[in-house]
Tab-separated table of all heavy atoms in Angstrom:
chain	number	residue	atom	x	y	z
W	10	ARG	N	4.665	5.294	13.422
W	10	ARG	CA	4.396	5.966	14.694
W	10	ARG	C	4.048	4.962	15.780
W	10	ARG	O	4.515	5.075	16.925
W	10	ARG	CB	3.264	6.977	14.511
W	10	ARG	CG	2.921	7.740	15.785
W	10	ARG	CD	1.795	8.736	15.539
W	10	ARG	NE	1.256	9.255	16.791
W	10	ARG	CZ	0.176	10.009	16.890
W	10	ARG	NH1	-0.481	10.368	15.779
W	10	ARG	NH2	-0.251	10.431	18.061
W	11	ALA	N	3.238	3.959	15.438
W	11	ALA	CA	2.856	2.944	16.419
W	11	ALA	C	4.078	2.173	16.922
W	11	ALA	O	4.211	1.913	18.125
W	11	ALA	CB	1.845	1.975	15.803
W	12	LEU	N	4.979	1.815	16.008
W	12	LEU	CA	6.188	1.094	16.403
W	12	LEU	C	7.074	1.945	17.308
W	12	LEU	O	7.573	1.472	18.336
W	12	LEU	CB	6.962	0.662	15.162
W	12	LEU	CG	6.392	-0.512	14.376
W	12	LEU	CD1	7.089	-0.626	13.023
W	12	LEU	CD2	6.550	-1.819	15.159
W	13	ARG	N	7.275	3.191	16.929
W	13	ARG	CA	8.133	4.062	17.738
W	13	ARG	C	7.539	4.304	19.121
W	13	ARG	O	8.251	4.222	20.134
W	13	ARG	CB	8.345	5.397	17.015
W	13	ARG	CG	9.238	5.301	15.787
W	13	ARG	CD	9.666	6.691	15.314
W	13	ARG	NE	8.534	7.552	15.021
W	13	ARG	CZ	7.907	7.593	13.854
W	13	ARG	NH1	8.312	6.807	12.855
W	13	ARG	NH2	6.882	8.402	13.650
W	14	GLU	N	6.234	4.574	19.173
W	14	GLU	CA	5.605	4.831	20.474
W	14	GLU	C	5.692	3.596	21.363
W	14	GLU	O	5.937	3.707	22.572
W	14	GLU	CB	4.151	5.241	20.277
W	14	GLU	CG	3.990	6.631	19.681
W	14	GLU	CD	2.529	7.039	19.560
W	14	GLU	OE1	1.645	6.222	19.908
W	14	GLU	OE2	2.271	8.174	19.116
W	15	ALA	N	5.488	2.417	20.778
W	15	ALA	CA	5.559	1.186	21.560
W	15	ALA	C	6.962	0.963	22.102
W	15	ALA	O	7.141	0.630	23.284
W	15	ALA	CB	5.128	-0.001	20.695
W	16	ALA	N	7.968	1.139	21.266
W	16	ALA	CA	9.351	0.939	21.711
W	16	ALA	C	9.749	1.971	22.763
W	16	ALA	O	10.471	1.649	23.721
W	16	ALA	CB	10.297	1.001	20.515
W	17	GLU	N	9.276	3.192	22.600
W	17	GLU	CA	9.581	4.225	23.594
W	17	GLU	C	8.993	3.874	24.954
W	17	GLU	O	9.648	4.016	25.992
W	17	GLU	CB	9.043	5.571	23.109
W	17	GLU	CG	9.821	6.167	21.939
W	17	GLU	CD	9.112	7.319	21.261
W	17	GLU	OE1	8.010	7.712	21.725
W	17	GLU	OE2	9.665	7.820	20.276
W	18	ARG	N	7.760	3.374	24.957
W	18	ARG	CA	7.121	3.004	26.217
W	18	ARG	C	7.806	1.805	26.858
W	18	ARG	O	8.087	1.794	28.063
W	18	ARG	CB	5.641	2.702	25.993
W	18	ARG	CG	4.765	3.930	25.861
W	18	ARG	CD	3.292	3.581	25.882
W	18	ARG	NE	2.860	2.923	24.661
W	18	ARG	CZ	2.358	3.560	23.605
W	18	ARG	NH1	2.258	4.867	23.610
W	18	ARG	NH2	1.969	2.890	22.538
W	19	VAL	N	8.059	0.786	26.072
W	19	VAL	CA	8.638	-0.452	26.617
W	19	VAL	C	10.054	-0.227	27.134
W	19	VAL	O	10.421	-0.712	28.212
W	19	VAL	CB	8.618	-1.572	25.557
W	19	VAL	CG1	9.436	-2.770	26.019
W	19	VAL	CG2	7.184	-2.002	25.269
W	20	HIS	N	10.861	0.516	26.377
W	20	HIS	CA	12.269	0.687	26.747
W	20	HIS	C	12.541	1.966	27.544
W	20	HIS	O	13.662	2.166	28.019
W	20	HIS	CB	13.144	0.689	25.491
W	20	HIS	CG	13.183	-0.633	24.792
W	20	HIS	ND1	13.780	-1.750	25.337
W	20	HIS	CD2	12.687	-1.027	23.592
W	20	HIS	CE1	13.668	-2.767	24.492
W	20	HIS	NE2	13.006	-2.367	23.442
W	21	GLY	N	11.519	2.802	27.703
W	21	GLY	CA	11.711	4.018	28.480
W	21	GLY	C	12.673	4.997	27.840
W	21	GLY	O	13.446	5.667	28.542
W	22	VAL	N	12.642	5.081	26.515
W	22	VAL	CA	13.516	6.002	25.789
W	22	VAL	C	12.663	6.868	24.877
W	22	VAL	O	11.470	6.634	24.709
W	22	VAL	CB	14.561	5.236	24.935
W	22	VAL	CG1	15.492	4.430	25.819
W	22	VAL	CG2	13.870	4.324	23.915
W	23	GLY	N	13.321	7.855	24.271
W	23	GLY	CA	12.589	8.621	23.276
W	23	GLY	C	12.853	10.093	23.368
W	23	GLY	O	13.482	10.564	24.317
W	24	PRO	N	12.394	10.814	22.357
W	24	PRO	CA	11.732	10.269	21.168
W	24	PRO	C	12.706	9.537	20.256
W	24	PRO	O	13.859	9.931	20.138
W	24	PRO	CB	11.158	11.505	20.481
W	24	PRO	CG	12.085	12.615	20.890
W	24	PRO	CD	12.496	12.295	22.308
W	25	LEU	N	12.221	8.459	19.643
W	25	LEU	CA	13.058	7.666	18.762
W	25	LEU	C	13.086	8.299	17.374
W	25	LEU	O	12.086	8.301	16.661
W	25	LEU	CB	12.538	6.226	18.668
W	25	LEU	CG	12.786	5.344	19.889
W	25	LEU	CD1	12.112	3.994	19.693
W	25	LEU	CD2	14.276	5.153	20.146
W	26	ILE	N	14.221	8.834	17.022
W	26	ILE	CA	14.401	9.425	15.698
W	26	ILE	C	15.758	8.988	15.168
W	26	ILE	O	16.677	8.699	15.933
W	26	ILE	CB	14.311	10.966	15.727
W	26	ILE	CG1	15.324	11.537	16.739
W	26	ILE	CG2	12.904	11.436	16.038
W	26	ILE	CD1	15.399	13.047	16.728
W	27	GLY	N	15.875	8.912	13.863
W	27	GLY	CA	17.148	8.524	13.269
W	27	GLY	C	16.981	8.221	11.800
W	27	GLY	O	15.875	7.942	11.323
W	28	ASP	N	18.065	8.276	11.087
W	28	ASP	CA	18.055	8.022	9.649
W	28	ASP	C	18.244	6.530	9.411
W	28	ASP	O	19.361	6.047	9.224
W	28	ASP	CB	19.164	8.827	8.967
W	28	ASP	CG	19.111	8.721	7.454
W	28	ASP	OD1	18.064	8.296	6.933
W	28	ASP	OD2	20.118	9.049	6.801
W	29	ILE	N	17.144	5.777	9.453
W	29	ILE	CA	17.167	4.326	9.302
W	29	ILE	C	16.481	3.950	8.000
W	29	ILE	O	15.364	4.402	7.725
W	29	ILE	CB	16.440	3.630	10.480
W	29	ILE	CG1	17.107	3.995	11.809
W	29	ILE	CG2	16.408	2.119	10.293
W	29	ILE	CD1	18.519	3.522	11.953
W	30	GLU	N	17.126	3.131	7.200
W	30	GLU	CA	16.504	2.665	5.960
W	30	GLU	C	15.357	1.722	6.299
W	30	GLU	O	15.504	0.819	7.130
W	30	GLU	CB	17.526	1.943	5.086
W	30	GLU	CG	16.999	1.572	3.719
W	30	GLU	CD	18.061	0.910	2.846
W	30	GLU	OE1	19.200	0.742	3.309
W	30	GLU	OE2	17.717	0.562	1.703
W	31	VAL	N	14.210	1.903	5.641
W	31	VAL	CA	13.038	1.101	5.976
W	31	VAL	C	12.497	0.277	4.804
W	31	VAL	O	11.863	-0.755	5.013
W	31	VAL	CB	11.898	1.972	6.563
W	31	VAL	CG1	12.366	2.675	7.820
W	31	VAL	CG2	11.408	2.991	5.534
W	32	ALA	N	12.706	0.710	3.569
W	32	ALA	CA	12.072	0.055	2.412
W	32	ALA	C	12.462	-1.411	2.299
W	32	ALA	O	13.641	-1.750	2.204
W	32	ALA	CB	12.444	0.788	1.126
W	33	GLY	N	11.449	-2.287	2.343
W	33	GLY	CA	11.689	-3.710	2.157
W	33	GLY	C	12.245	-4.439	3.357
W	33	GLY	O	12.529	-5.633	3.276
W	34	ARG	N	12.396	-3.765	4.500
W	34	ARG	CA	12.955	-4.407	5.694
W	34	ARG	C	11.826	-4.847	6.624
W	34	ARG	O	10.690	-4.391	6.522
W	34	ARG	CB	13.889	-3.452	6.438
W	34	ARG	CG	15.054	-2.929	5.616
W	34	ARG	CD	15.955	-2.042	6.449
W	34	ARG	NE	16.711	-2.828	7.426
W	34	ARG	CZ	17.282	-2.301	8.515
W	34	ARG	NH1	17.132	-1.014	8.788
W	34	ARG	NH2	17.966	-3.061	9.345
W	35	THR	N	12.158	-5.724	7.565
W	35	THR	CA	11.168	-6.141	8.552
W	35	THR	C	11.068	-5.102	9.658
W	35	THR	O	12.019	-4.352	9.933
W	35	THR	CB	11.536	-7.497	9.189
W	35	THR	OG1	12.757	-7.357	9.931
W	35	THR	CG2	11.691	-8.581	8.136
W	36	ASP	N	9.907	-5.078	10.326
W	36	ASP	CA	9.729	-4.174	11.452
W	36	ASP	C	10.774	-4.431	12.534
W	36	ASP	O	11.280	-3.505	13.166
W	36	ASP	CB	8.328	-4.344	12.048
W	36	ASP	CG	7.243	-3.729	11.182
W	36	ASP	OD1	7.576	-3.019	10.221
W	36	ASP	OD2	6.051	-3.985	11.470
Side-chain angles (χ1 to χ4, degrees):
R10 181 180 167 188
L12 285 168
R13 289 193 303 274
E14 289 183 358
E17 289 167 3
R18 282 190 288 268
V19 170
H20 293 292
V22 296
L25 286 175
I26 55 174
D28 186 16
I29 301 296
E30 187 177 0
V31 300
R34 302 182 71 199
T35 64
D36 286 350

